[in-house]
Amino acid sequence: VNVYGTDPTASDSDGDGLSDADEVNIHGTNPNVADSDGDGLNDGPEVNAYGTDPNDTDSDDDNLNDYDEVNTYFTDPAVTDTDGDGCNDGAEVNIYGTNPILTDTDGDGLSDCDEVNVYNTDPALADTDGDGLEDGDELNTHSTNPNNPDSDYDGLSDGDEVNTHQTDPAVADTDGDGLTDGDEISTHGTDPNDPDTDRDNLTDGNEIN
């Protein structure tokens, strides 16, 4: 009696790359079905090439099935977090819209998972607040808030302060004359980098206030 229903004239009845004996005795897979778990990958490649469980459609429990990891996302189906950025592959694909094989999807100098869990910025968008400065530069160079386009509330966007006016985007009154940078530029026509624009030995703030 053939207990397993396999072909007694073939060592690998289902042609999946695993011998019938190994399927029965070692892997617990169906020797008559090439893809025991129905995930799209044959049992042989799961065991021999990918290191995945041929009886589990999602071997690393990252909410992506093994086949999709191999053929769609090019992630490691046996590793939950392929790029090692702290967020698992499924969350990157299904929740954050990031690339699970890149630690910094938007190239802003911050890892995807730090953007999600530490800074609350968009890991798929280099400039979350749209102020003209990338999130990484705001945090690491300018000490500004990547979620607020005007970190010092002086009426000028952080990007304009850095790129146009050369003022400090983290300080409302760059030259310390008692007038905010925005008021100097937009209202008074004074120089926000010079406390005494007209050089009369009176600060701009004292002249106005």
Side-chain angles (χ1 to χ4, degrees), residues 21-195:
D22 284 351
E23 294 218 50
V24 170
N25 297 318
I26 298 174
H27 307 296
T29 47
N30 188 334
N32 292 297
V33 176
D35 178 11
S36 294
D37 57 11
D39 63 0
L41 298 176
N42 282 351
D43 298 341
E46 292 220 49
V47 169
N48 298 317
Y50 307 121
T52 49
D53 183 346
N55 289 300
D56 186 345
T57 59
D58 180 10
S59 297
D60 57 8
D61 297 319
D62 62 359
N63 293 315
L64 298 177
N65 92 5
D66 295 341
Y67 178 89
D68 286 342
E69 294 218 50
V70 170
N71 295 298
T72 302
Y73 306 113
F74 310 108
T75 47
D76 187 335
V79 175
T80 302
D81 177 12
T82 298
D83 58 12
D85 63 0
C87 290
N88 76 38
D89 298 338
E92 293 219 47
V93 170
N94 298 318
I95 299 174
Y96 308 127
T98 50
N99 188 332
I101 60 175
L102 290 177
T103 58
D104 179 9
T105 298
D106 56 11
D108 64 358
L110 304 174
S111 78
D112 295 339
C113 220
D114 281 348
E115 294 217 49
V116 170
N117 295 317
V118 178
Y119 306 115
N120 298 313
T121 48
D122 187 336
L125 190 64
D127 178 10
T128 298
D129 58 11
D131 62 0
L133 299 177
E134 291 190 354
D135 298 339
D137 287 341
E138 294 220 45
L139 289 163
N140 299 319
T141 303
H142 307 298
S143 299
T144 49
N145 185 342
N147 290 296
N148 185 346
D150 181 9
S151 296
D152 57 8
Y153 297 99
D154 64 357
L156 301 174
S157 77
D158 297 339
D160 282 348
E161 293 215 50
V162 170
N163 299 316
T164 303
H165 308 298
Q166 289 78 53
T167 48
D168 187 338
V171 175
D173 178 9
T174 297
D175 58 11
D177 62 0
L179 301 175
T180 66
D181 298 339
D183 284 345
E184 294 219 48
I185 289 169
S186 303
T187 302
H188 308 298
T190 49
D191 184 348
N193 289 297
D194 185 344

